[in-house]
Amino acid sequence: MDLVTFRTSLTRAEPPPSLNLALRALWFDAKGDWEAAHAAAQADEGGAGDWVHAYLHRKEGDASNAAYWYRRARKPFFSASVDAEWQEIAVALLAECR
């Protein structure tokens, strides 16, 4: 799946079943469901889930919690817009699934 297809899937009521937990978290976030996004990110105990978890806490304004998750994900604290970060994470995670 590429970014265009992923974004197009946002018109559906449910995420595509092929998405891993981290991508499901991004999908729910883009749909405005922070709680479902957070639950999916938290359920993914790997680096991808940690990265999305960091992004979600940064988006909600909890910089100290976000910093903890960025360290776990071994990613730098993102300084550009949350929209830019969402896209960067999505592109990277989609590329890993190919």
Side-chain angles (χ1 to χ4, degrees), residues 1-12:
M1 178 179 299
D2 62 12
L3 185 61
V4 172
T5 306
F6 184 61
R7 285 190 186 275
T8 301
S9 77
L10 295 169
T11 61
R12 300 179 188 161

Side-chain angles (χ1 to χ4, degrees), residues 5-71:
T5 306
F6 184 61
R7 285 190 186 275
T8 301
S9 77
L10 295 169
T11 61
R12 300 179 188 161
E14 295 294 324
S18 62
L19 296 182
N20 63 33
L21 287 168
L23 284 167
R24 288 176 65 86
L26 287 179
W27 190 92
F28 282 118
D29 175 67
K31 295 284 279 186
D33 190 343
W34 193 93
E35 292 298 326
H38 187 256
Q42 200 163 24
D44 181 337
E45 297 182 5
D50 292 346
W51 192 13
V52 176
H53 206 153
Y55 154 80
L56 290 169
H57 283 296
R58 184 175 86 91
K59 184 176 182 180
E60 77 168 339
D62 188 350
S64 63
N65 199 357
Y68 167 79
W69 288 102
Y70 282 115
R71 284 191 303 275

